[in-house]
Amino acid sequence: MKVIAARNYGTPEVLRLEEWETPSPKKNEIRIKIYNTSVNSGDWRIRKPDPKLVRLFFGITKPKQPILGISLSGVVDGIGANVTKFKIGDRVFGSTGMQMGAYAEYTCLPESAVIMILPKEISFPEGAALSFGSLTALDFIQKCNLQKNQTILIYGASSSVGTAAIQLAKHFGSLVTAVCSIGNFELVKSLGADFVMDYEGFHEESHNKTYDVVFECVGKSSISSNLQHLTKGGVLVLVGASFKDMFQAVLISLTKKINIKFGPIAETLKNLQFLVELIKIGKFKVVIDKSYPLEEMAEAHRYVEAGHKKGNVVINIAS
Ligand SMILES: NC(=O)c1ccc[n+]([C@@H]2O[C@H](COP(=O)([O-])OP(=O)(O)OC[C@H]3O[C@@H](n4cnc5c(N)ncnc54)[C@H](OP(=O)(O)O)[C@@H]3O)[C@@H](O)[C@H]2O)c1
């Protein structure tokens, strides 16, 4: 099978096309013929690596798993003897989690993985783009217990996480102010944002409004600036918090008793199912910016790392 492997950490050029043996599923595994994967912000951070601490988890001198990629969609084409949940021919999508391996024509996953049936209403590219930003946005929105008529400021609203967060916040009945560049105003309004603000002027403007939830999606604004916009008793969400941010957030939570949410999300089938149901009733859509063939993975990484994608970037592997 064709795979894209990163034999070393480094620039996008480390991502090379290789031929590997097609894997066979173990007793409790399914083999998926992958149709689409996506390139997420987490992928280039592992490839680079950034932060350097990535090496502790993914390999000190080089990636332990050379095939990156965590989001996928495809068709089950092989099953182990003990598999009961899936059958050959099932359309599926979801996340490979820390195992990665989605930059390939095939992968094997336990049937207990965060993988589920892809309904006919959702295309393979949409399925591959769904499990990263949308699951992240949903997990954090649940953590801040967003209520009807509450106000939320979504900073970095055009990102993968942000485009999902806008739609989820509207679904839960809140009033959304989206902060993004002027070029993305139409996009975020089309997703339901009630108010839009340009990120270039956001911090200079004497913008003195406060919000019940400040949802920082892209790690581009400072904690102190975000706190200025937080209503007393409100929740600050730091989706893309750096280690420095996390340290500062812990200190602030302890000393000023401010509710700050950060850290890795829990990927669950329940939440994936929730998103599927919203899509089916027309209340949620996955924003796809660009797609690339598998062979152009390096180019896709370059684009995503530049930090200006709108929503998600998808890789076409088969159809
Ligand atoms: N905690 C977790 O478990 C978890 C899970 C997933 C992701 N994350 C983190 O979440 C963050 C977001 O990921 P993502 O994939 O959603 O990001 P992304 O899609 O790569 O973000 C790109 C978007 O950010 C916008 N942007 C760039 N600079 C900005 C600024 N100064 N102010 C506001 N928006 C700006 C860009 O808009 P323009 O083109 O207009 O500049 C672009 O649309 C990452 O740091 C990622 O590591 C955390």
Side-chain angles (χ1 to χ4, degrees), residues 64-94:
K64 278 187 280 192
Q65 157 62 296
I67 310 175
L68 311 185
I70 63 163
S71 311
L72 60 76
S73 62
V75 171
V76 175
D77 90 325
I79 55 171
N82 296 345
V83 169
T84 54
K85 201 172 143 193
F86 297 99
K87 59 181 189 317
I88 289 175
D90 280 347
R91 288 162 44 101
V92 291
F93 79 107

Side-chain angles (χ1 to χ4, degrees), residues 39-42 44-45 132-133 135-137 139-140 143 154-163 179-184 187 199-200 203 216-221 238-241 246 262-266 289 304-312:
V39 178
N40 306 313
S41 45
W44 70 258
R45 286 190 177 281
F132 181 77
L135 272 184
T136 305
D139 184 86
F140 276 111
K143 280 179 182 148
I154 300 180
Y155 192 95
S158 53
S159 64
S160 173
V161 177
T163 50
V179 184
C180 60
S181 59
I182 295 171
N184 284 324
L187 169 69
Y199 70 63
E200 290 291 353
H203 302 287
E216 215 295 2
C217 296
V218 284
K220 300 274 184 181
S221 57
L238 301 174
V239 176
M246 290 188 208
F262 59 88
I265 64 141
D289 178 348
V304 173
E305 187 177 345
H308 296 293
K309 71 177 162 68
K310 304 172 206 304
N312 302 281

Side-chain angles (χ1 to χ4, degrees), residues 153-156 178-180 197-209 211 214-230 236 238:
L153 177 87
I154 300 180
Y155 192 95
V179 184
C180 60
M197 293 187 74
D198 176 12
Y199 70 63
E200 290 291 353
F202 182 75
H203 302 287
E204 289 81 43
E205 279 168 18
S206 52
H207 165 234
N208 54 12
K209 279 207 188 109
Y211 302 83
V214 174
F215 202 94
E216 215 295 2
C217 296
V218 284
K220 300 274 184 181
S221 57
S222 69
I223 295 184
S224 56
S225 157
N226 289 316
L227 289 177
Q228 279 175 21
H229 301 298
L230 194 65
L236 171 60
L238 301 174

Side-chain angles (χ1 to χ4, degrees), residues 19 47 272:
E19 282 288 335
R47 185 211 76 230
L272 211 50

Side-chain angles (χ1 to χ4, degrees), residues 5-312:
R7 297 291 182 175
N8 291 297
Y9 291 116
T11 61
E13 285 65 38
V14 299
L15 298 162
R16 302 252 170 86
L17 190 66
E18 293 184 3
E19 282 288 335
W20 282 37
E21 197 71 37
T22 303
S24 299
K26 297 194 187 91
K27 279 184 177 173
N28 66 330
E29 287 183 340
I30 56 172
R31 184 173 66 194
I32 301 169
K33 177 175 164 58
I34 302 175
Y35 280 32
N36 293 96
T37 182
S38 61
V39 178
N40 306 313
S41 45
D43 298 10
W44 70 258
R45 286 190 177 281
I46 295 171
R47 185 211 76 230
K48 208 167 174 172
D50 179 7
K52 296 214 165 24
L53 226 56
V54 161
R55 289 175 186 265
L56 271 186
F57 302 97
F58 293 95
I60 301 290
T61 56
K62 58 185 182 180
K64 278 187 280 192
Q65 157 62 296
I67 310 175
L68 311 185
I70 63 163
S71 311
L72 60 76
S73 62
V75 171
V76 175
D77 90 325
I79 55 171
N82 296 345
V83 169
T84 54
K85 201 172 143 193
F86 297 99
K87 59 181 189 317
I88 289 175
D90 280 347
R91 288 162 44 101
V92 291
F93 79 107
S95 170
T96 65
M98 294 284 274
Q99 174 178 328
M100 301 190 287
Y103 292 179
E105 287 184 308
Y106 295 88
T107 195
C108 291
L109 290 169
E111 66 170 339
S112 58
V114 184
I115 296 287
M116 59 182 285
I117 297 289
L118 180 70
K120 59 179 183 337
E121 293 86 350
I122 306 178
S123 69
F124 284 108
E126 287 167 337
L130 187 57
S131 60
F132 181 77
S134 309
L135 272 184
T136 305
L138 179 55
D139 184 86
F140 276 111
I141 282 190
Q142 288 165 338
K143 280 179 182 148
C144 56
N145 193 22
L146 192 65
Q147 300 292 315
K148 198 164 187 231
N149 296 328
Q150 280 194 320
T151 54
I152 179 169
L153 177 87
I154 300 180
Y155 192 95
S158 53
S159 64
S160 173
V161 177
T163 50
I166 296 169
Q167 300 175 79
L168 292 167
K170 287 311 296 174
H171 174 70
F172 290 115
S174 64
L175 208 60
V176 175
T177 299
V179 184
C180 60
S181 59
I182 295 171
N184 284 324
F185 278 7
E186 283 314 309
L187 169 69
V188 300
K189 278 196 244 167
S190 76
L191 299 173
D194 300 288
F195 307 103
V196 287
M197 293 187 74
D198 176 12
Y199 70 63
E200 290 291 353
F202 182 75
H203 302 287
E204 289 81 43
E205 279 168 18
S206 52
H207 165 234
N208 54 12
K209 279 207 188 109
T210 61
Y211 302 83
D212 298 310
V213 175
V214 174
F215 202 94
E216 215 295 2
C217 296
V218 284
K220 300 274 184 181
S221 57
S222 69
I223 295 184
S224 56
S225 157
N226 289 316
L227 289 177
Q228 279 175 21
H229 301 298
L230 194 65
T231 303
K232 200 165 185 301
V235 186
L236 171 60
V237 176
L238 301 174
V239 176
S242 63
F243 287 109
K244 187 174 154 240
D245 290 339
M246 290 188 208
F247 184 68
Q248 203 184 339
V250 171
L251 275 184
I252 294 169
S253 304
L254 291 174
T255 54
K256 299 193 175 158
K257 304 272 182 266
I258 293 171
N259 193 352
I260 308 181
K261 306 287 184 199
F262 59 88
I265 64 141
E267 293 181 324
T268 66
L269 279 174
K270 192 174 169 209
N271 278 358
L272 211 50
Q273 183 67 50
F274 180 88
L275 293 164
V276 163
E277 295 309 321
L278 282 190
I279 294 178
K280 280 188 182 169
I281 58 171
K283 288 272 186 91
F284 189 89
K285 71 174 186 188
V286 195
V287 175
I288 295 180
D289 178 348
K290 285 191 182 199
S291 51
Y292 295 83
L294 185 67
E295 292 75 7
E296 289 176 23
M297 185 62 82
E299 192 48 43
H301 264 242
R302 229 169 271 126
Y303 181 64
V304 173
E305 187 177 345
H308 296 293
K309 71 177 162 68
K310 304 172 206 304
N312 302 281

